[in-house]
Amino acid sequence: MINKIIIFLFVIMLVGCSTQQPIVRTTKPPYKKPTAVVVNTPKKPVPTKTETTTKSSTTKTSTTNQNTNQNSQSEILEATTRVKVTTAMVLDYISKYKDVAKSNMKQYGIPSSIILGQGILESGAGTGPLSSLANNHFGIKCHKGWTGPSVKYDDDEAQECFRKYELPNESYKDHALFLTSRAWYLPLFDLEKDDYKQWAIGLKKAGYATDPKYPEKLIGIIERYQLNKYDSEVLGTEYIPLNTKDQISLKSNLYQVSQGDTLYSISKNSI
């Protein structure tokens, strides 16, 4: 009886093991960390050392440009040919020859302001053809009796003879001798040495220039660049700066000088 019961239970176990039943998974899948979403928030760029230096340099350059605008202004001068010069070029010319002009004033009695003013006007602040080719800053022609070097240059006539100098200082000295050795300029030396206006007017009356506006143009250059301060330095008098709107900083970009303003163009008619 016991054997039957054991066999019965064994059969039941075999039947249970062979039955198809769904498999239920009791273990959890491995945990996966959720993917993070990255949001790009724009940030203000931090200037690098190079960028900071560049910005600083740009600011300095801007300030420098403002300071040099005045020196970049230009004017047109009649120096055997029309030449365009900047204010900076004129100032450089003055710096080079002011001592020569002061020395000539002491020796020959011609105001420094007149000497420099004529030099600027007639040589184009040292950039004109004759000043470049022959160091001739006053356009003086050979005339009779000149035995020194010369150059040929087209002026009123083709290939006219102009004096040539080894150094610009020689041209300045020759200019002084030119004025002091001709009778029609002698009345100039009765004028006050610091009266550049009367000197400019007197030059025109003596036949120095054919342009009726020559005195006005010469005075304009003297006052704009305050050349009369060198007269005061030679005379030992107090210099009072001029208060004119055209002083150094020009209101207009160009200053037109007409034909006939130069020493060489009138000197041939006076000899």
Side-chain angles (χ1 to χ4, degrees):
M1 185 67 179
I2 294 173
N3 291 334
K4 290 181 179 181
I5 293 172
I6 293 172
I7 294 171
F8 178 75
L9 291 174
F10 181 77
V11 171
I12 292 173
M13 291 176 63
L14 290 175
V15 173
C17 291
S18 61
T19 304
Q20 297 293 329
Q21 292 182 355
I23 299 174
V24 178
R25 182 169 303 200
T26 57
T27 58
K28 295 181 180 180
Y31 173 77
K32 292 184 180 182
K33 186 177 181 180
T35 304
V37 178
V38 179
V39 179
N40 293 323
T41 304
K43 296 181 180 180
K44 294 183 179 179
V46 178
T48 63
K49 183 177 180 181
T50 302
E51 292 171 338
T52 304
T53 303
T54 303
K55 183 177 181 181
S56 176
S57 299
T58 302
T59 303
K60 290 180 181 178
T61 302
S62 177
T63 303
T64 302
N65 287 340
Q66 292 176 359
N67 293 335
T68 56
N69 279 343
Q70 174 178 310
N71 289 348
S72 299
Q73 291 175 329
S74 60
E75 55 187 306
I76 294 177
L77 300 174
E78 194 77 23
T80 63
T81 58
R82 296 170 72 238
V83 294
K84 186 175 182 180
V85 297
T86 64
T87 302
M89 293 166 65
V90 177
L91 293 175
D92 182 62
Y93 183 89
I94 294 170
S95 178
K96 285 182 180 178
Y97 300 111
K98 60 183 177 63
D99 290 335
V100 179
K102 289 167 63 177
S103 177
N104 281 8
M105 179 178 179
K106 294 175 183 177
Q107 184 173 356
Y108 299 101
I110 306 168
S112 302
S113 56
I114 291 294
I115 298 171
L116 283 172
Q118 290 181 313
I120 292 168
L121 181 64
E122 295 163 15
S123 74
T127 65
L130 284 178
S131 57
S132 299
L133 293 172
N135 285 320
N136 191 332
H137 285 232
F138 297 89
I140 301 178
K141 292 187 178 181
C142 293
H143 303 302
K144 295 179 181 179
W146 176 255
T147 58
S150 62
V151 296
K152 298 293 185 179
Y153 189 82
D154 292 346
D155 185 41
D156 295 330
E157 299 177 5
Q159 295 298 287
E160 292 191 85
C161 181
F162 286 88
R163 300 182 185 187
K164 180 179 180 180
Y165 308 97
E166 185 176 352
L167 299 171
N169 291 19
E170 296 176 3
S171 177
Y172 270 75
K173 181 177 181 179
D174 204 25
H175 165 258
L177 294 174
F178 188 90
L179 293 182
T180 55
S181 63
R182 286 160 174 76
W184 46 89
Y185 293 123
L186 293 182
L188 292 172
F189 296 89
D190 293 329
L191 300 172
E192 296 294 332
K193 297 297 182 286
D194 59 353
D195 194 350
Y196 62 88
K197 290 184 179 180
Q198 288 302 315
W199 270 80
I201 294 171
L203 283 168
K204 174 66 178 67
K205 288 181 178 180
Y208 176 82
T210 57
D211 181 4
K213 292 186 177 181
Y214 180 77
E216 175 185 333
K217 294 172 181 178
L218 183 55
I219 291 170
I221 290 177
I222 292 172
E223 292 185 345
R224 182 186 312 167
Y225 295 100
Q226 305 180 70
L227 302 181
N228 57 318
K229 68 181 178 182
Y230 303 116
D231 299 338
S232 297
E233 290 177 6
V234 172
L235 298 172
T237 57
E238 180 184 2
Y239 170 66
I240 301 176
L242 299 171
N243 185 19
T244 63
K245 65 179 180 179
D246 291 329
Q247 236 179 36
I248 300 300
S249 57
L250 309 181
K251 295 297 181 181
S252 59
N253 288 332
L254 298 178
Y255 180 83
Q256 181 71 49
V257 180
S258 301
Q259 187 73 31
D261 287 348
T262 52
L263 182 58
Y264 65 82
S265 66
I266 57 88
S267 60
K268 67 177 184 295
N269 297 323
S270 303
I271 295 180

